[in-house]
Amino acid sequence: MSSSTTVGTAARPLRVAVVGSGPAGVYAADILTKSEAVKSGELTVSIDLFDRYPAPYGLIRYGVAPDHPRIKGIVNALHKVLDRGDIRFFGNVDYGTDISIEDLRTHYDAVIFATGAIKDADLNIPGIELEGSFGGADFVSWYDGHPDVSREWPLDATSVAVLGNGNVALDVARVLSKHADDLLVTEIPDNVYAGLKASPVTDVHVFGRRGPAQVKFTPLELRELSHSKDVDIILYAEDFEFDDESDRQIQTNNQTKTMVGTLTNWIAEQPEDLSELKASRRLHLHFLHSPVEIVDSADEPGRVAGIRFERTELDGTGNARGTGEIVDYPVQAVYRAIGYFGSALPDVEFDHKRGVVANDGGRVLDASGEHVPGLYATGWIKRGPVGLIGHTKGDALETVTYLLEDRENLPLAAVPEADAVVELLGARGVKFTSWEGWLALDAHELALGAAASDAGTSHGVEVQRERVKVVPREDMVDISRDGVAAQV
C-alpha cells in the first residue's frame, strides 16, 4: 500500500470481510474496531460479516445444547457487538456459492475466515456405518433446529452408547436422557420436542477411553447432569483408576480436582444395590473403555445391536493402553462425540489432516507455504476444534494483530464502495438477511414463546416458554426480510 493512498482514513476506510458470524467472527470484528489504531483515529475500518445461515451466532445457535446455562450470556455479548451498528451483517450468503473469493478480494482489502467446524471427526472402527450409528455433531444440529438438516431423527433405541468424554458428549447424553417436557423452558423447536417426547430410551451410556482424571468436559457440564429430573446417574467402581499422572493433575489443576471430587462423591453416595434407584431413566458414566467394534445381530443385520470395547488401563503418564479384556454392551444406537472437524473452503489452501485452513498464526498460506496477502483465519478453522469460547478471543486477537501489521501491504480492493456488495448480491438474486432482519426474527421467536406461555400450556404442559426457534430456512429468510420491509 503506497503512502499516498487514503485507505484506512475517513475518505476511504480499510474494508474487511469476515466470513462466519459465530463467536470467532464477531470477536475478530469487535477486536479490530477496538484496536489502538482505530481508537486513536490513525485507522478507520468498514467491516462486513457474512454467514451462510439467515441468523447470526454460528455454533452458539446451532451447536450448543438448548438447556446450556451459558448460552444466554454469550448471545447477549455477541448481540451487543452487532447491535452497535458499525458492523454490517449479511446472512443467508454462502461463501463459495453466493459469493466467491474473487468477489471478496474485489470488494475488500482483507478477508478473515471464521467458518468454524461443524462435521464429526471420523471414528474408523468396524460397524461405524451401521444403521443406528450417528455423529454427535449431526444430532446436535438436529436438536438445535439447524435449517439444513432433516426435521426427523430416529429415536427408537431403549439403550444408547455415547462415545467421548468432552462437553459435546455430555450434551448429547443429557439431551437423550432428559425428559422432553423439561426442555420446554428452552427454545427447543416443536419437531425436536415431539421426537424426544416419543423416545423410549431408558439407559444412556457415556464411554471414555481414559480415567476420571483425564476427562475433557468441564465442571459445569458435569454438574448439569445431576439437574435432570427422574434420571439416575450410575458409575462403576472398577472404572476409578488413578496413576501418578492422575494424582499430579488432581493436585495441580483445580478443574480436574473439582471434577474428580464430584465423581467420587457421586459414586460414594450411590447405593450398592442399584435396584434401589427408582428413576425411569439412567445415565451411566464409564471410563477406561476403548471402542473396538459396533456390532449387529443375525436377527437385524445392518442395524446396531451392540458395541464392543477393550478395557484399558492408565500407563503412568495419564494415557491409556489396552488390557486385552473385551466387553460387550447391548445397545441399539451409538453416537460418536469424539470431536469436530473443519470443512475445506473453496479456493483456499486446506490442511486435510488437521481440518483447518493452512495458516501461520492466522495468516492464510498457499500451497508453497507462503502467506497469501490479505487472507486470514481465526477460530476453529484456524486452530482446530479445541478450547472453550474464551480461547477464541485470544485467537482472534492474534489474527487481527497480524492483519494490522500487514495493513500497509494489503492488496487494495478494486471496488471498495460499501453499496457495491449489496448490489452484487441483489443482482445475483441472493435473498440475504441483515442485522435488522435478525432483530425481526428474534422478536418473532420470542413472540412464539410468549404465545405458548399465554395459552397456559405448551403441549399439555404448564410452562413459561421464552422463545420457540424457527427451523425452516425459507421461513427464517421470509420473516427476516418481511420484518425489515415492514419497518421501511
Side-chain angles (χ1 to χ4, degrees), residues 163-182:
L163 308 180
N165 260 180
N167 284 342
V168 175
L170 290 196
D171 278 353
V172 168
R174 192 178 66 255
V175 171
L176 283 168
S177 60
K178 201 167 188 174
H179 290 276
D181 288 350
D182 295 331

Side-chain angles (χ1 to χ4, degrees), residues 153-462:
W153 190 272
L155 290 165
D156 51 8
T158 58
S159 188
V160 177
V162 179
L163 308 180
N165 260 180
N167 284 342
V168 175
L170 290 196
D171 278 353
V172 168
R174 192 178 66 255
V175 171
L176 283 168
S177 60
K178 201 167 188 174
H179 290 276
D181 288 350
D182 295 331
L183 288 167
L184 279 174
V185 295
T186 74
E187 60 184 28
I188 184 173
D190 286 340
N191 66 295
V192 176
Y193 170 81
L196 293 172
K197 181 70 172 177
S199 170
V201 69
T202 58
D203 292 84
V204 176
H205 299 261
V206 181
F207 295 94
R209 189 175 58 85
R210 296 187 292 172
Q214 286 78 42
V215 295
K216 295 297 184 183
F217 42 74
T218 59
L220 178 63
E221 291 279 356
L222 182 60
R223 286 194 297 268
E224 283 178 14
L225 295 183
S226 64
H227 298 161
S228 296
K229 299 175 184 176
D230 192 35
V231 179
D232 282 325
I233 298 173
I234 300 177
L235 300 104
Y236 299 87
E238 62 268 26
D239 293 344
F240 279 73
E241 178 181 314
F242 301 95
D243 60 0
D244 290 343
E245 177 59 21
S246 299
D247 291 338
R248 188 196 68 79
Q249 288 178 281
I250 293 169
Q251 295 301 319
T252 60
N253 187 300
N254 286 334
Q255 178 166 297
T256 301
K257 183 178 181 179
T258 298
M259 288 189 293
V260 170
T262 299
L263 291 167
T264 53
N265 285 340
W266 284 355
I267 196 169
E269 296 167 358
Q270 183 174 289
E272 291 187 17
D273 183 358
L274 295 183
S275 66
E276 295 179 18
L277 298 173
K278 300 303 182 183
S280 66
R281 294 180 176 181
R282 292 160 293 279
L283 200 163
H284 308 254
L285 299 181
H286 304 268
F287 306 101
L288 302 174
H289 284 70
S290 181
V292 173
E293 181 181 6
I294 301 172
V295 297
D296 57 4
S297 68
D299 294 335
E300 292 187 283
R303 182 176 177 82
V304 171
I307 184 167
R308 182 164 296 146
F309 294 91
E310 180 180 15
R311 290 302 306 255
T312 61
E313 62 183 6
L314 299 178
D315 64 3
T317 69
N319 291 312
R321 61 193 172 204
T323 65
E325 179 187 355
I326 301 298
V327 291
D328 290 339
Y329 292 85
V331 298
Q332 300 83 49
V334 175
Y335 291 76
R336 69 184 186 279
I338 58 173
Y340 286 87
F341 200 78
S343 302
L345 299 172
D347 303 312
V348 181
E349 190 66 23
F350 195 74
D351 183 337
H352 290 274
K353 184 176 181 180
R354 296 178 56 222
V356 299
V357 166
N359 73 95
D360 180 12
R363 288 182 169 120
V364 172
L365 306 177
D366 61 19
S368 64
E370 296 295 320
H371 175 217
V372 182
L375 296 190
Y376 302 86
T378 191
W380 281 4
I381 202 64
K382 166 188 171 182
R383 57 185 165 84
V386 293
L388 302 175
I389 296 295
H391 297 99
T392 305
K393 290 185 178 180
D395 190 52
L397 177 60
E398 179 186 48
T399 295
V400 169
T401 298
Y402 280 132
L403 188 159
L404 291 171
E405 287 180 5
D406 298 339
R407 69 181 184 272
E408 296 298 327
N409 298 300
L410 294 173
L412 299 185
V415 187
E417 292 76 20
D419 290 343
V421 173
V422 178
E423 294 171 0
L424 174 71
L425 295 174
R428 290 178 178 172
V430 179
K431 292 184 176 180
F432 63 89
T433 60
S434 62
W435 177 247
E436 292 74 21
W438 159 247
L439 295 179
L441 177 58
D442 184 39
H444 180 84
E445 292 185 345
L446 291 170
L448 292 177
S453 299
D454 290 343
T457 63
S458 181
H459 303 279
V461 180
E462 291 188 13

Side-chain angles (χ1 to χ4, degrees), residues 117-150:
I118 60 173
K119 292 185 177 180
D120 284 285
D122 290 334
L123 178 63
N124 295 315
I125 60 173
I128 196 69
E129 77 291 342
L130 292 175
E131 183 183 352
S133 172
F134 306 106
D138 292 335
F139 182 57
V140 171
S141 292
W142 175 75
Y143 68 58
D144 271 335
H146 194 295
D148 297 335
V149 303
S150 171

